[in-house]
Each structure stands twice: as C-alpha cells, then as structure tokens.
C-alpha cells in the first residue's frame, strides 16, 4: 500500500511506462500538493503527455503507483474512474471542442451529461463560465469560427465547468500568438486560485511557466531530471536545462538523429 | 478478430444506456437515414424502371407480360431492395459515420468526452450503430416502393400493360410473411452489419488524414462484401425449399 499524505493531491511512485518495447517513463517519483501549479517540461517525446495520461487514468503504468486524491488510479474500475474524472478537468492541446456543437453547447455539455440541473440554471452557469474566459459574446459561434486562442479559452471554460479539484493542461500555449498565450496563462492562474484547484501543466513555454508555476519538473530520458523552483531555470548551469531554456540546437539533446557516419554515407562506403 | 469481438462486446453493453437516450438516436437517424432518403428513392425508381424494361422484354416472349408487376415486386422486396439499399447506405451514410468518428478521435474529441466521464461508446458509437439498424428497413421499404412505382410508370404508362393485371398479380403473389417480412429481416441484418463495420472502422482509424481515408474506404468495401455474403446466406436460409 502506497503511503498518502492528505496534503498531496497527486503522488506518483516509481512509475514505469512503455509503448510496446519503447520505454517512455523509467521510474518517476512525483508529488503535487493541493493548490499547487506545477509545470512539466522537457524535450518532445519525453513522456510529458504520457504522464498526464497516467494521472487521468487514460493509460496504465507497467509498474508503480499513481495516486490521485488518495485513489490508486490504475486499479479503479470504469465507474470509479469516471467518478474520479468528474473531479478532474483537462485542457487538450488544441482544445478538442465538439465540432458539431456551438460554443454555448460545448460548455453546457458537462452540465447536461453529468448533472440534472434545469436548463435555465445550466444557461446561467454557462454564461458565467464564458464570461470568466471573456467569450460570453461568442456563445453562438461554431468551433470552426473561432481563432486558436478563442477555441482554447472555450475549452478551458468547458474543462472547469464542474469546478474540478485537479486541472491537467496539455501544452495549452502551443500555436497561440503572444496575446493569447498571456490570456490563457492569466486565466490558468486566476482559475486555479479562484477554484482552489491543483494544476499540472505540460508546456514548452518558458516565459509563461516562470510566471505561472510554483514548481518546474524537467523530464529527460523518461526520468525526472530536475524538480526546482521556476526562477532556478534562469540561473542553473545544468547543460540540459541551459540547452532547453536557451533554445540551443545542439547539446545533451543532439541536433542529428543517430545514423551512420556522414562521410562514409556520402562516399557510399 | 479479437479486437472486433471485444469492440462488439463493449458496444452491446453500451446499447442499454444509448437506448435510454432516444433523442441521440433520432438525431443520428436523421443524419444517416433521413438524409439518405433522396438517393435511395431515386435509385429505387431507376432500378424499378430498368427491371420493368428488362422484365417486359423477356416476359413478352412467353406471353406473360402481365406478370411484370409481380416479377418486379418480388425482385425488389426479396433481393434488390435490401441489398442495393444497404450498398447505397454503406456509400452514403456509413462512410460518413466512419469519417466522423475517426475525425473525432483524431481531434481528441472522444478523449475529451472520456475525460468528462462520458463514455464515447454510449454517447457517440452506440447511437450511430442503432441508427443504421433502425434506418435500413425503412429505407429498403422506400427503395422497393419507389422501384414498384418506377416499374408501373414504364410497364403501365409507357408500354401499356393492363393496370389491373399489374397490381392484382402483385397482390396475389407477393406474400407478406415470406417475401416482405423476410426482406425486412434481411435489411435489419444488413443494417446491423454495416452499422457495426462503420463504427468499428471509425473508432480504430489511425488519427491521420491517410488513416481516415483508409478507414472510410475499408468501411465501404467490407460493408459491400459483407452485405453480399450475408445476402447469399440469408437467401439460402429463407427461401430454400420454398418451391
């Protein structure tokens, strides 16, 4: 039985996960306290999104323990998992709005599916959520009519509709212009504080991470490379983090994909 | 096959929940069934007309041109109605269902639903599957009706076969249980097969443009072959020894 402290919302112990024979996570130990915002950073394909999938119960680890709010997620039955997910919100990389529903109906979806609230009350709640993300006026638009930033904000309103205890963000800033990045970042921070949530953000956006996160966890080669305060990123001389923070093309993460010797290949040897 | 069996199993489990939300099924019946009405009715009309031209050409050699109505009606009700409707449905509606579910998967809409504790099998897959089963018998009946009307236009109005003979022979020789009900049963079986194939292919489509294109093609090809194979099996079971 894995020990669990009341102050911890999420606790991963020695989690290992692989796709077929390709290891992704090799013994991850991570705890997230209630009310905390942590950012997960690392190179592409480093297992960041996999980590979110494990916390949400969408993936099962080959070994190790994943506790969310005291529940061992991999051992939950479907109905228990759905019970837990009613307390978890997730913002997907590109919003994942339902393309056949307009903005209002997208945000109303969790209320209609998960509650027995009268339609009049659902209307009020949806308008409140849309007002919080600044898109009450766009309630009748279809997802195809929204910009990337607007779609992400609607998806955020939908994800927090049921006031979850945990919010998972999968690269919420990807593909957005700086204004939209700033808006989403402020919304994440504001909602986290207002709703008393615990947030896990998978991101590559260093500036926004420094503004938002209480802690930064850097993944490399399936392990936690560093778990540190955001301001340390600027000062550390760790070569991997320097390469990541300064956007250097070569370093611990090589520019070239492993292959044969260049000269030998050119010469056809 | 194991994957398909597991998928069919979980689909069966989710049917109970889906049946409790008829509005979702009606919505899909509208998209799959009602919006296939025009292609099915027009196709039925033309098939009936062609059957009448071909049938009359053969029947008049033996002096039985008045049997045109019954020949066309039996061909349509027993065979062409259910089979051609299922083939049209596979091309018109099932391929769209596969593409829709495949795209919902590729754009993480199904994952988002799952994360909101809403089972995509009950909310998305089962209503589309049930809509295929419910739509098919009605569409087959409309196809056959349009075909008979087409045959009547050619046979009676253009060729000049006796109107009374056309309808009375049909009335006397088309049996409700043997012909009409068996035809409807066929269309329900075809609806089940085509519906299952379309949702399965969509659900497991690779989340790429090529993956969805491949899945829709597979839906049409596998559905068409399944319908023809099932038709052979059902025809042997239903009509063997009747003569």
């Amino acid at each position: 039985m894995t020990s669990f402290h009341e102050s911890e919302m999420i606790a991963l112990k020695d989690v290992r996960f692989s796709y077929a024979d390709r290891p992704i996570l090799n013994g991850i130990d991570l705890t997230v306290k209630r009310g905390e915002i942590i950012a997960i950073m690392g190179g592409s394909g480093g297992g960041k999104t996999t980590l979110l999938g494990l916390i949400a119960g969408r993936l099962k680890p080959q070994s190790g323990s994943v506790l969310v709010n005291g529940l061992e997620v991999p051992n939950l039955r479907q109905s228990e998992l759905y019970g837990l997910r009613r307390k978890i919100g997730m913002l997907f990389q590109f919003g994942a709005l339902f393309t056949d529903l307009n903005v209002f109906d997208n945000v109303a979806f969790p209320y209609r599916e998960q509650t027995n609230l009268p339609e009049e009350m659902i209307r009020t709640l949806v308008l409140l959520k849309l007002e919080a993300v600044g898109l009450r006026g766009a309630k009748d638009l279809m997802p195809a009519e929204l910009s990337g930033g607007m779609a992400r904000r609607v998806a955020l309103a939908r994800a927090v509709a049921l006031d979850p205890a945990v919010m998972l963000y999968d690269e919420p800033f990807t593909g957005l212009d700086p204004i939209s990045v700033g808006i989403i970042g402020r919304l994440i921070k504001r909602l986290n504080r207002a709703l008393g949530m615990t947030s896990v953000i998978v991101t590559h956006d260093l500036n926004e991470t420094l503004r938002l996160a209480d802690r930064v966890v850097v993944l490399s080669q399936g392990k936690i490379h560093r778990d540190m305060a955001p301001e340390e990123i600027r000062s550390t001389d760790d070569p991997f983090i320097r390469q990541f923070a300064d956007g250097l093309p070569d370093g611990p993460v090589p520019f070239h994909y492993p292959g044969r010797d260049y000269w030998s290949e050119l010469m056809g040897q | 096959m194991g994957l398909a069996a597991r998928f069919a199993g979980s689909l069966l489990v989710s049917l109970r929940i889906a049946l409790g939300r008829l509005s979702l099924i009606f919505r899909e019946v509208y998209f799959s069934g009602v919006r296939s009405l025009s292609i099915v009715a027009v196709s039925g009309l033309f098939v009936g007309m062609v059957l009448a031209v071909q049938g009359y050409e053969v029947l008049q050699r033996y002096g039985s041109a008045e049997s045109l109505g019954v020949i066309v009606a039996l061909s349509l009700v027993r065979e062409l109605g259910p089979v051609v409707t299922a083939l049209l449905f596979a091309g018109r509606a099932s391929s769209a269902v596969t593409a829709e579910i495949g795209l919902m998967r590729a754009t993480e809409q199904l994952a988002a639903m799952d994360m909101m504790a809403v089972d995509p099998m009950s909310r998305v897959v089962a209503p589309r599957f049930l809509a295929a089963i419910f739509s098919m018998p009605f569409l087959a009946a409309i196809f056959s009706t349009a075909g008979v009307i087409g045959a009547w236009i050619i046979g009676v109005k253009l060729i000049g076969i006796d109107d009374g003979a056309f309808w009375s022979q049909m009335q006397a020789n088309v049996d409700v249980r043997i012909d009409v009900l068996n035809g409807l049963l066929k269309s329900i079986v075809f609806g089940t097969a085509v519906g299952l194939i379309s949702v399965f292919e969509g659900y497991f489509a690779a989340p790429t443009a090529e993956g969805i294109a491949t899945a829709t093609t597979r839906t049409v090809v596998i559905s068409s072959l399944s319908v023809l194979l099932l038709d052979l099996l059902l025809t042997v079971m239903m009509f063997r020894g009747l003569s």
Side-chain angles (χ1 to χ4, degrees):
Chain A
M1 183 76 184
T2 310
S3 63
F4 177 74
H5 299 284
E6 229 7 79
S7 62
E8 294 170 356
M9 179 55 92
I10 299 167
L12 281 76
K13 302 274 187 274
D14 195 25
V15 170
R16 292 168 195 275
F17 181 86
S18 56
Y19 286 111
D21 54 353
R22 190 165 66 93
I24 304 293
L25 300 175
N26 299 311
I28 297 283
D29 291 299
L30 174 70
T31 55
V32 186
K33 292 195 178 76
R34 292 175 192 276
E36 206 174 17
I37 300 180
I38 73 156
I40 311 278
M41 303 186 88
S44 297
K48 303 182 298 296
T49 301
T50 301
L51 201 61
L52 288 189
L54 289 165
I55 294 168
R58 303 197 64 235
L59 300 170
K60 286 196 178 196
Q62 269 78 44
S63 65
S65 159
V66 181
L67 286 169
V68 177
N69 203 20
L71 297 171
E72 184 67 55
V73 178
N75 296 344
L76 296 178
R77 292 198 306 267
Q78 174 86 347
S79 57
E80 294 168 330
L81 184 61
Y82 274 2
L84 176 66
R85 283 191 187 159
R86 289 187 189 101
K87 296 173 191 150
I88 299 177
M90 184 157 180
L91 181 65
F92 286 83
Q93 193 171 353
F94 295 104
L97 293 177
F98 303 130
T99 45
D100 58 335
L101 302 180
N102 66 15
V103 165
F104 182 94
D105 290 332
N106 260 285
V107 181
F109 187 87
Y111 296 116
R112 288 176 179 151
E113 293 292 327
Q114 299 295 356
T115 71
N116 294 317
L117 294 172
E119 199 58 29
E120 190 55 37
M121 190 174 285
I122 289 175
R123 183 178 172 278
T124 307
L125 290 168
V126 171
L127 292 179
L128 283 170
K129 296 294 179 192
L130 284 174
E131 176 70 14
V133 298
L135 290 175
R136 186 171 43 81
K139 65 181 188 301
D140 296 321
L141 297 182
M142 295 301 287
E145 298 173 284
L146 303 174
S147 68
M150 289 166 78
R152 219 68 60 88
R153 284 151 72 187
V154 174
L156 183 55
R158 186 181 68 180
V160 299
L162 296 175
D163 299 343
V166 177
M167 261 305 289
L168 307 174
Y169 299 88
D170 188 5
E171 303 197 18
F173 310 115
T174 302
L176 297 184
D177 61 84
I179 299 171
S180 299
V181 168
I183 291 172
I184 295 286
R186 280 180 190 84
L187 281 172
I188 290 174
K189 187 135 197 166
R190 204 174 76 201
L191 288 169
N192 200 76
R193 199 179 302 130
L195 301 175
M197 297 187 302
T198 304
S199 296
V200 180
I201 308 169
V202 163
T203 179
H204 291 122
D205 192 300
L206 205 61
N207 291 329
E208 211 50 45
T209 302
L210 292 176
R211 264 201 288 267
L212 269 177
D214 300 315
R215 267 165 61 209
V216 179
V217 173
V218 181
L219 288 185
S220 173
Q221 297 181 330
K223 290 181 183 294
I224 293 183
H225 182 76
R226 288 286 295 274
D227 185 341
M228 57 190 177
E231 53 273 17
E232 284 182 57
I233 289 184
R234 294 283 187 218
S235 56
T236 182
D237 53 4
D238 181 302
F240 176 73
I241 296 174
R242 283 271 53 84
Q243 184 189 5
F244 192 79
D246 300 336
L248 303 174
D250 213 349
V253 180
F255 172 71
H256 288 288
Y257 190 81
R260 284 175 58 201
D261 177 64
Y262 185 37
W263 183 251
S264 311
E265 188 148 16
L266 278 179
M267 292 296 112
Q269 293 165 353
Chain B
M1 282 304 282
L3 183 66
R6 277 205 306 277
F7 178 80
S10 57
L11 179 58
L12 266 179
V13 172
S14 66
L15 288 183
R16 192 178 55 83
I17 302 167
L19 282 166
R21 299 185 63 178
L22 289 176
S23 62
L24 291 177
I25 300 170
F26 288 146
R27 181 179 180 275
E28 297 310 323
V29 166
Y30 172 75
F31 283 112
S32 292
V34 176
R35 294 177 83 169
S36 300
L37 268 176
S38 54
I39 186 175
V40 164
V42 171
S43 302
L45 193 72
F46 285 128
V47 167
M49 287 175 161
V50 170
L51 277 178
V53 173
Q54 295 277 17
Y56 176 77
E57 201 277 321
V58 174
L59 289 171
Q60 55 95 25
R61 287 189 217 161
Y62 304 101
S64 347
E66 282 73 23
S67 303
L68 183 67
V70 68
I71 294 292
V72 169
L74 286 177
S75 306
L76 286 167
V77 170
R78 282 183 171 195
E79 283 300 323
L80 292 171
V83 171
V84 178
T85 302
L87 296 177
L88 290 169
F89 191 87
R92 157 66 183 77
S94 297
S95 55
V97 165
T98 299
E100 187 185 17
I101 294 176
L103 267 173
M104 287 181 84
R105 195 173 179 82
T107 54
E108 296 187 306
Q109 293 179 53
L110 296 185
M113 210 173 267
D114 196 37
M115 276 307 300
M116 285 184 264
V118 176
D119 182 13
M121 288 294 278
S122 309
R123 183 64 172 69
V124 174
V125 175
R128 285 160 176 78
F129 170 66
L130 288 170
I133 300 176
F134 293 154
S135 300
M136 201 71 86
F138 290 101
L139 290 172
I142 287 163
F143 182 96
S144 298
T145 307
V148 168
I149 293 168
W152 175 78
I153 292 169
I154 294 291
V156 176
K157 290 293 170 189
L158 297 181
I159 295 174
I161 292 169
D162 182 66
D163 201 5
F166 182 90
W167 292 112
S168 62
Q169 286 217 23
M170 198 187 302
Q171 193 178 6
N173 292 298
V174 176
D175 187 276
V176 171
R177 196 187 65 78
I178 295 170
D179 303 314
V180 177
L181 285 186
N182 276 338
L184 285 178
L185 186 62
K186 272 186 177 183
S187 63
I188 292 170
V189 174
F190 296 161
T192 307
V194 171
L196 184 61
I197 291 164
S198 63
V199 294
F200 175 80
E201 289 294 337
Y203 200 77
F204 291 105
T208 60
E210 188 191 7
I212 291 165
T214 305
T216 48
T217 305
R218 282 173 59 87
T219 290
V220 176
V221 172
I222 297 173
S223 295
S224 303
L225 293 176
S226 302
V227 164
L228 295 172
L229 176 66
L230 284 169
D231 185 48
L232 172 65
L233 296 175
L234 289 170
T235 303
V236 170
M237 283 164 58
M238 289 170 172
F239 299 107
R240 184 184 54 182
L242 276 183
S243 57

